[in-house]
Amino acid sequence: SAAVPHWSRLIRDVPDFPRPGIVFKDITPVLADAAAFAGAIDASAGAWRAAPPDAVAGIEARGFILGAALARELGCGFVPVRKPGKLPGTTLFEEYALEYGRDRLELHADALPAGARVLVVDDVLATGGTLRAAVALLRRQGARVCGAQVLVELSMLRGRDRWDDPAPLHAALAL
Ligand code: 5GP
């Protein structure tokens, strides 16, 4: 239908990745196509143009790609939220539950000035655990989280139902 954005047609289903029974939404073909990449960033920027943040915080690794492009689009800075052991400076960390076990995200302790308005960015919202951990980490660092932006929300996994946060969560596309 005409309501389906052109870039979303390039999202590819990869069955049994990363494990049997999981259908992974692969966004790399969107990134590889100039018009699709531009359209995806434009759609992600829409909600934030009226009041741009001071910085975008992107979650490793696809949140770096989308977040850096979005930061340029909105005319603000970029801060990486990383997997363990990657950041060279003094870090804060936040642990979060995975389906099996736990993982953690790290942030430079001096990544942002106190009170900076930050927009958290990732490619896909599934259960929402990753995004919520990033928000908690940024708040502990002293940032004001003004919202979260994902390219794709996987509606069946109900991540939005667990988003009990006053900051708005926007998805450029719900699947
Ligand atoms: P959640 O914490 O919301 O359950 O999972 C979201 C995280 O896992 C995001 O960082 C996202 O990159 C990754 N992820 C989970 N499922 C998918 C998927 O189907 N496609 C992509 N591209 N990433 C996914």
PDB file of all heavy atoms in Angstrom, residues 27-60:
ATOM      1  N   ILE A  27      18.309  -5.069   8.568  1.00  0.00           N
ATOM      2  CA  ILE A  27      18.155  -3.725   7.998  1.00  0.00           C
ATOM      3  C   ILE A  27      19.328  -3.314   7.107  1.00  0.00           C
ATOM      4  O   ILE A  27      19.326  -2.222   6.544  1.00  0.00           O
ATOM      5  CB  ILE A  27      17.962  -2.652   9.096  1.00  0.00           C
ATOM      6  CG1 ILE A  27      19.233  -2.500   9.952  1.00  0.00           C
ATOM      7  CG2 ILE A  27      16.740  -2.976   9.962  1.00  0.00           C
ATOM      8  CD1 ILE A  27      19.458  -1.108  10.450  1.00  0.00           C
ATOM      9  N   THR A  28      20.339  -4.183   6.956  1.00  0.00           N
ATOM     10  CA  THR A  28      21.518  -3.766   6.186  1.00  0.00           C
ATOM     11  C   THR A  28      21.198  -3.401   4.735  1.00  0.00           C
ATOM     12  O   THR A  28      21.835  -2.491   4.198  1.00  0.00           O
ATOM     13  CB  THR A  28      22.661  -4.802   6.252  1.00  0.00           C
ATOM     14  OG1 THR A  28      22.235  -6.046   5.692  1.00  0.00           O
ATOM     15  CG2 THR A  28      23.138  -5.019   7.675  1.00  0.00           C
ATOM     16  N   PRO A  29      20.196  -4.042   4.077  1.00  0.00           N
ATOM     17  CA  PRO A  29      19.872  -3.586   2.714  1.00  0.00           C
ATOM     18  C   PRO A  29      19.314  -2.158   2.672  1.00  0.00           C
ATOM     19  O   PRO A  29      19.470  -1.468   1.656  1.00  0.00           O
ATOM     20  CB  PRO A  29      18.823  -4.602   2.241  1.00  0.00           C
ATOM     21  CG  PRO A  29      19.067  -5.825   3.072  1.00  0.00           C
ATOM     22  CD  PRO A  29      19.469  -5.292   4.416  1.00  0.00           C
ATOM     23  N   VAL A  30      18.681  -1.716   3.761  1.00  0.00           N
ATOM     24  CA  VAL A  30      18.203  -0.325   3.820  1.00  0.00           C
ATOM     25  C   VAL A  30      19.400   0.621   3.834  1.00  0.00           C
ATOM     26  O   VAL A  30      19.414   1.651   3.146  1.00  0.00           O
ATOM     27  CB  VAL A  30      17.333  -0.100   5.077  1.00  0.00           C
ATOM     28  CG1 VAL A  30      16.887   1.358   5.183  1.00  0.00           C
ATOM     29  CG2 VAL A  30      16.125  -1.031   5.076  1.00  0.00           C
ATOM     30  N   LEU A  31      20.426   0.275   4.600  1.00  0.00           N
ATOM     31  CA  LEU A  31      21.619   1.116   4.706  1.00  0.00           C
ATOM     32  C   LEU A  31      22.376   1.178   3.389  1.00  0.00           C
ATOM     33  O   LEU A  31      22.980   2.198   3.048  1.00  0.00           O
ATOM     34  CB  LEU A  31      22.549   0.584   5.800  1.00  0.00           C
ATOM     35  CG  LEU A  31      21.955   0.424   7.197  1.00  0.00           C
ATOM     36  CD1 LEU A  31      22.958  -0.267   8.117  1.00  0.00           C
ATOM     37  CD2 LEU A  31      21.534   1.773   7.771  1.00  0.00           C
ATOM     38  N   ALA A  32      22.346   0.086   2.633  1.00  0.00           N
ATOM     39  CA  ALA A  32      23.142  -0.021   1.401  1.00  0.00           C
ATOM     40  C   ALA A  32      22.558   0.785   0.255  1.00  0.00           C
ATOM     41  O   ALA A  32      23.257   1.061  -0.732  1.00  0.00           O
ATOM     42  CB  ALA A  32      23.266  -1.495   0.994  1.00  0.00           C
ATOM     43  N   ASP A  33      21.296   1.171   0.351  1.00  0.00           N
ATOM     44  CA  ASP A  33      20.602   1.883  -0.719  1.00  0.00           C
ATOM     45  C   ASP A  33      20.501   3.371  -0.344  1.00  0.00           C
ATOM     46  O   ASP A  33      19.897   3.708   0.677  1.00  0.00           O
ATOM     47  CB  ASP A  33      19.204   1.269  -0.896  1.00  0.00           C
ATOM     48  CG  ASP A  33      18.424   1.917  -2.022  1.00  0.00           C
ATOM     49  OD1 ASP A  33      17.923   3.051  -1.829  1.00  0.00           O
ATOM     50  OD2 ASP A  33      18.329   1.292  -3.083  1.00  0.00           O
ATOM     51  N   ALA A  34      21.064   4.234  -1.170  1.00  0.00           N
ATOM     52  CA  ALA A  34      21.167   5.657  -0.802  1.00  0.00           C
ATOM     53  C   ALA A  34      19.800   6.278  -0.514  1.00  0.00           C
ATOM     54  O   ALA A  34      19.627   6.969   0.502  1.00  0.00           O
ATOM     55  CB  ALA A  34      21.874   6.427  -1.923  1.00  0.00           C
ATOM     56  N   ALA A  35      18.832   6.043  -1.384  1.00  0.00           N
ATOM     57  CA  ALA A  35      17.509   6.660  -1.210  1.00  0.00           C
ATOM     58  C   ALA A  35      16.794   6.071   0.011  1.00  0.00           C
ATOM     59  O   ALA A  35      16.105   6.787   0.749  1.00  0.00           O
ATOM     60  CB  ALA A  35      16.667   6.474  -2.460  1.00  0.00           C
ATOM     61  N   ALA A  36      16.954   4.763   0.221  1.00  0.00           N
ATOM     62  CA  ALA A  36      16.301   4.108   1.354  1.00  0.00           C
ATOM     63  C   ALA A  36      16.908   4.584   2.679  1.00  0.00           C
ATOM     64  O   ALA A  36      16.180   4.885   3.633  1.00  0.00           O
ATOM     65  CB  ALA A  36      16.423   2.593   1.225  1.00  0.00           C
ATOM     66  N   PHE A  37      18.233   4.675   2.711  1.00  0.00           N
ATOM     67  CA  PHE A  37      18.921   5.154   3.916  1.00  0.00           C
ATOM     68  C   PHE A  37      18.453   6.575   4.245  1.00  0.00           C
ATOM     69  O   PHE A  37      18.093   6.884   5.394  1.00  0.00           O
ATOM     70  CB  PHE A  37      20.438   5.092   3.690  1.00  0.00           C
ATOM     71  CG  PHE A  37      21.289   5.341   4.910  1.00  0.00           C
ATOM     72  CD1 PHE A  37      20.783   5.243   6.198  1.00  0.00           C
ATOM     73  CD2 PHE A  37      22.635   5.660   4.741  1.00  0.00           C
ATOM     74  CE1 PHE A  37      21.590   5.464   7.307  1.00  0.00           C
ATOM     75  CE2 PHE A  37      23.454   5.876   5.848  1.00  0.00           C
ATOM     76  CZ  PHE A  37      22.933   5.791   7.124  1.00  0.00           C
ATOM     77  N   ALA A  38      18.417   7.421   3.238  1.00  0.00           N
ATOM     78  CA  ALA A  38      17.963   8.805   3.450  1.00  0.00           C
ATOM     79  C   ALA A  38      16.517   8.837   3.930  1.00  0.00           C
ATOM     80  O   ALA A  38      16.168   9.605   4.835  1.00  0.00           O
ATOM     81  CB  ALA A  38      18.120   9.604   2.163  1.00  0.00           C
ATOM     82  N   GLY A  39      15.674   7.996   3.346  1.00  0.00           N
ATOM     83  CA  GLY A  39      14.271   7.950   3.746  1.00  0.00           C
ATOM     84  C   GLY A  39      14.090   7.457   5.169  1.00  0.00           C
ATOM     85  O   GLY A  39      13.241   7.962   5.912  1.00  0.00           O
ATOM     86  N   ALA A  40      14.892   6.475   5.554  1.00  0.00           N
ATOM     87  CA  ALA A  40      14.812   5.931   6.906  1.00  0.00           C
ATOM     88  C   ALA A  40      15.247   6.977   7.944  1.00  0.00           C
ATOM     89  O   ALA A  40      14.628   7.105   9.005  1.00  0.00           O
ATOM     90  CB  ALA A  40      15.687   4.678   7.019  1.00  0.00           C
ATOM     91  N   ILE A  41      16.295   7.721   7.629  1.00  0.00           N
ATOM     92  CA  ILE A  41      16.767   8.764   8.549  1.00  0.00           C
ATOM     93  C   ILE A  41      15.766   9.906   8.617  1.00  0.00           C
ATOM     94  O   ILE A  41      15.453  10.436   9.692  1.00  0.00           O
ATOM     95  CB  ILE A  41      18.176   9.265   8.147  1.00  0.00           C
ATOM     96  CG1 ILE A  41      19.208   8.137   8.301  1.00  0.00           C
ATOM     97  CG2 ILE A  41      18.578  10.484   8.968  1.00  0.00           C
ATOM     98  CD1 ILE A  41      19.301   7.531   9.693  1.00  0.00           C
ATOM     99  N   ASP A  42      15.214  10.279   7.471  1.00  0.00           N
ATOM    100  CA  ASP A  42      14.213  11.346   7.445  1.00  0.00           C
ATOM    101  C   ASP A  42      12.999  10.959   8.292  1.00  0.00           C
ATOM    102  O   ASP A  42      12.483  11.758   9.075  1.00  0.00           O
ATOM    103  CB  ASP A  42      13.803  11.621   6.000  1.00  0.00           C
ATOM    104  CG  ASP A  42      12.965  12.875   5.890  1.00  0.00           C
ATOM    105  OD1 ASP A  42      13.432  13.935   6.344  1.00  0.00           O
ATOM    106  OD2 ASP A  42      11.829  12.782   5.384  1.00  0.00           O
ATOM    107  N   ALA A  43      12.560   9.711   8.149  1.00  0.00           N
ATOM    108  CA  ALA A  43      11.399   9.245   8.923  1.00  0.00           C
ATOM    109  C   ALA A  43      11.719   9.207  10.416  1.00  0.00           C
ATOM    110  O   ALA A  43      10.847   9.461  11.250  1.00  0.00           O
ATOM    111  CB  ALA A  43      10.981   7.857   8.442  1.00  0.00           C
ATOM    112  N   SER A  44      12.953   8.897  10.763  1.00  0.00           N
ATOM    113  CA  SER A  44      13.354   8.824  12.172  1.00  0.00           C
ATOM    114  C   SER A  44      13.515  10.206  12.789  1.00  0.00           C
ATOM    115  O   SER A  44      13.399  10.362  14.015  1.00  0.00           O
ATOM    116  CB  SER A  44      14.676   8.065  12.294  1.00  0.00           C
ATOM    117  OG  SER A  44      14.540   6.751  11.790  1.00  0.00           O
ATOM    118  N   ALA A  45      13.794  11.205  11.960  1.00  0.00           N
ATOM    119  CA  ALA A  45      14.039  12.564  12.458  1.00  0.00           C
ATOM    120  C   ALA A  45      12.746  13.322  12.727  1.00  0.00           C
ATOM    121  O   ALA A  45      12.722  14.258  13.539  1.00  0.00           O
ATOM    122  CB  ALA A  45      14.889  13.339  11.448  1.00  0.00           C
ATOM    123  N   GLY A  46      11.663  12.918  12.070  1.00  0.00           N
ATOM    124  CA  GLY A  46      10.419  13.691  12.056  1.00  0.00           C
ATOM    125  C   GLY A  46       9.937  14.166  13.405  1.00  0.00           C
ATOM    126  O   GLY A  46       9.571  15.332  13.569  1.00  0.00           O
ATOM    127  N   ALA A  47       9.947  13.275  14.388  1.00  0.00           N
ATOM    128  CA  ALA A  47       9.376  13.603  15.700  1.00  0.00           C
ATOM    129  C   ALA A  47      10.238  14.591  16.484  1.00  0.00           C
ATOM    130  O   ALA A  47       9.758  15.178  17.457  1.00  0.00           O
ATOM    131  CB  ALA A  47       9.186  12.326  16.521  1.00  0.00           C
ATOM    132  N   TRP A  48      11.493  14.763  16.073  1.00  0.00           N
ATOM    133  CA  TRP A  48      12.452  15.512  16.898  1.00  0.00           C
ATOM    134  C   TRP A  48      12.900  16.825  16.287  1.00  0.00           C
ATOM    135  O   TRP A  48      13.632  17.590  16.913  1.00  0.00           O
ATOM    136  CB  TRP A  48      13.682  14.625  17.183  1.00  0.00           C
ATOM    137  CG  TRP A  48      13.268  13.248  17.570  1.00  0.00           C
ATOM    138  CD1 TRP A  48      13.344  12.116  16.789  1.00  0.00           C
ATOM    139  CD2 TRP A  48      12.642  12.840  18.789  1.00  0.00           C
ATOM    140  NE1 TRP A  48      12.804  11.045  17.459  1.00  0.00           N
ATOM    141  CE2 TRP A  48      12.366  11.465  18.689  1.00  0.00           C
ATOM    142  CE3 TRP A  48      12.290  13.525  19.955  1.00  0.00           C
ATOM    143  CZ2 TRP A  48      11.750  10.749  19.716  1.00  0.00           C
ATOM    144  CZ3 TRP A  48      11.677  12.809  20.978  1.00  0.00           C
ATOM    145  CH2 TRP A  48      11.420  11.441  20.844  1.00  0.00           C
ATOM    146  N   ARG A  49      12.458  17.112  15.069  1.00  0.00           N
ATOM    147  CA  ARG A  49      12.930  18.330  14.390  1.00  0.00           C
ATOM    148  C   ARG A  49      12.493  19.599  15.111  1.00  0.00           C
ATOM    149  O   ARG A  49      13.227  20.591  15.142  1.00  0.00           O
ATOM    150  CB  ARG A  49      12.415  18.368  12.951  1.00  0.00           C
ATOM    151  CG  ARG A  49      13.073  17.371  12.029  1.00  0.00           C
ATOM    152  CD  ARG A  49      12.700  17.693  10.577  1.00  0.00           C
ATOM    153  NE  ARG A  49      12.894  16.568   9.687  1.00  0.00           N
ATOM    154  CZ  ARG A  49      14.078  16.195   9.193  1.00  0.00           C
ATOM    155  NH1 ARG A  49      15.176  16.862   9.513  1.00  0.00           N
ATOM    156  NH2 ARG A  49      14.157  15.162   8.380  1.00  0.00           N
ATOM    157  N   ALA A  50      11.271  19.575  15.683  1.00  0.00           N
ATOM    158  CA  ALA A  50      10.727  20.782  16.310  1.00  0.00           C
ATOM    159  C   ALA A  50      11.542  21.182  17.538  1.00  0.00           C
ATOM    160  O   ALA A  50      11.688  22.371  17.824  1.00  0.00           O
ATOM    161  CB  ALA A  50       9.270  20.555  16.693  1.00  0.00           C
ATOM    162  N   ALA A  51      12.052  20.192  18.264  1.00  0.00           N
ATOM    163  CA  ALA A  51      12.853  20.453  19.471  1.00  0.00           C
ATOM    164  C   ALA A  51      14.014  19.476  19.499  1.00  0.00           C
ATOM    165  O   ALA A  51      13.981  18.479  20.219  1.00  0.00           O
ATOM    166  CB  ALA A  51      11.995  20.310  20.719  1.00  0.00           C
ATOM    167  N   PRO A  52      15.056  19.738  18.694  1.00  0.00           N
ATOM    168  CA  PRO A  52      16.178  18.789  18.602  1.00  0.00           C
ATOM    169  C   PRO A  52      16.889  18.602  19.944  1.00  0.00           C
ATOM    170  O   PRO A  52      16.972  19.545  20.734  1.00  0.00           O
ATOM    171  CB  PRO A  52      17.122  19.446  17.589  1.00  0.00           C
ATOM    172  CG  PRO A  52      16.285  20.415  16.837  1.00  0.00           C
ATOM    173  CD  PRO A  52      15.237  20.898  17.805  1.00  0.00           C
ATOM    174  N   PRO A  53      17.393  17.384  20.198  1.00  0.00           N
ATOM    175  CA  PRO A  53      18.135  17.141  21.439  1.00  0.00           C
ATOM    176  C   PRO A  53      19.527  17.784  21.377  1.00  0.00           C
ATOM    177  O   PRO A  53      19.951  18.260  20.322  1.00  0.00           O
ATOM    178  CB  PRO A  53      18.253  15.620  21.467  1.00  0.00           C
ATOM    179  CG  PRO A  53      18.208  15.211  20.037  1.00  0.00           C
ATOM    180  CD  PRO A  53      17.304  16.200  19.344  1.00  0.00           C
ATOM    181  N   ASP A  54      20.215  17.786  22.516  1.00  0.00           N
ATOM    182  CA  ASP A  54      21.618  18.224  22.538  1.00  0.00           C
ATOM    183  C   ASP A  54      22.521  17.145  21.963  1.00  0.00           C
ATOM    184  O   ASP A  54      23.585  17.427  21.425  1.00  0.00           O
ATOM    185  CB  ASP A  54      22.052  18.515  23.982  1.00  0.00           C
ATOM    186  CG  ASP A  54      21.263  19.661  24.601  1.00  0.00           C
ATOM    187  OD1 ASP A  54      21.091  20.690  23.923  1.00  0.00           O
ATOM    188  OD2 ASP A  54      20.810  19.508  25.750  1.00  0.00           O
ATOM    189  N   ALA A  55      22.110  15.892  22.115  1.00  0.00           N
ATOM    190  CA  ALA A  55      22.910  14.775  21.611  1.00  0.00           C
ATOM    191  C   ALA A  55      22.011  13.575  21.334  1.00  0.00           C
ATOM    192  O   ALA A  55      20.954  13.424  21.949  1.00  0.00           O
ATOM    193  CB  ALA A  55      23.988  14.387  22.621  1.00  0.00           C
ATOM    194  N   VAL A  56      22.484  12.748  20.420  1.00  0.00           N
ATOM    195  CA  VAL A  56      21.905  11.425  20.202  1.00  0.00           C
ATOM    196  C   VAL A  56      22.830  10.412  20.851  1.00  0.00           C
ATOM    197  O   VAL A  56      24.053  10.485  20.688  1.00  0.00           O
ATOM    198  CB  VAL A  56      21.774  11.116  18.692  1.00  0.00           C
ATOM    199  CG1 VAL A  56      21.534   9.627  18.452  1.00  0.00           C
ATOM    200  CG2 VAL A  56      20.662  11.946  18.067  1.00  0.00           C
ATOM    201  N   ALA A  57      22.264   9.471  21.616  1.00  0.00           N
ATOM    202  CA  ALA A  57      23.025   8.346  22.158  1.00  0.00           C
ATOM    203  C   ALA A  57      22.629   7.105  21.370  1.00  0.00           C
ATOM    204  O   ALA A  57      21.462   6.694  21.401  1.00  0.00           O
ATOM    205  CB  ALA A  57      22.739   8.163  23.643  1.00  0.00           C
ATOM    206  N   GLY A  58      23.583   6.523  20.638  1.00  0.00           N
ATOM    207  CA  GLY A  58      23.317   5.352  19.811  1.00  0.00           C
ATOM    208  C   GLY A  58      23.816   4.093  20.491  1.00  0.00           C
ATOM    209  O   GLY A  58      24.878   4.089  21.117  1.00  0.00           O
ATOM    210  N   ILE A  59      23.024   3.011  20.384  1.00  0.00           N
ATOM    211  CA  ILE A  59      23.376   1.739  21.017  1.00  0.00           C
ATOM    212  C   ILE A  59      24.117   0.852  20.015  1.00  0.00           C
ATOM    213  O   ILE A  59      23.640   0.625  18.899  1.00  0.00           O
ATOM    214  CB  ILE A  59      22.110   1.029  21.544  1.00  0.00           C
ATOM    215  CG1 ILE A  59      21.365   1.941  22.542  1.00  0.00           C
ATOM    216  CG2 ILE A  59      22.473  -0.304  22.192  1.00  0.00           C
ATOM    217  CD1 ILE A  59      20.006   1.420  22.985  1.00  0.00           C
ATOM    218  N   GLU A  60      25.292   0.332  20.441  1.00  0.00           N
ATOM    219  CA  GLU A  60      26.108  -0.546  19.611  1.00  0.00           C
ATOM    220  C   GLU A  60      25.295  -1.747  19.132  1.00  0.00           C
ATOM    221  O   GLU A  60      24.597  -2.366  19.938  1.00  0.00           O
ATOM    222  CB  GLU A  60      27.317  -1.026  20.426  1.00  0.00           C
ATOM    223  CG  GLU A  60      28.330  -1.799  19.621  1.00  0.00           C
ATOM    224  CD  GLU A  60      29.640  -2.044  20.389  1.00  0.00           C
ATOM    225  OE1 GLU A  60      29.783  -1.582  21.539  1.00  0.00           O
ATOM    226  OE2 GLU A  60      30.505  -2.697  19.797  1.00  0.00           O
TER     227      GLU A  60
END
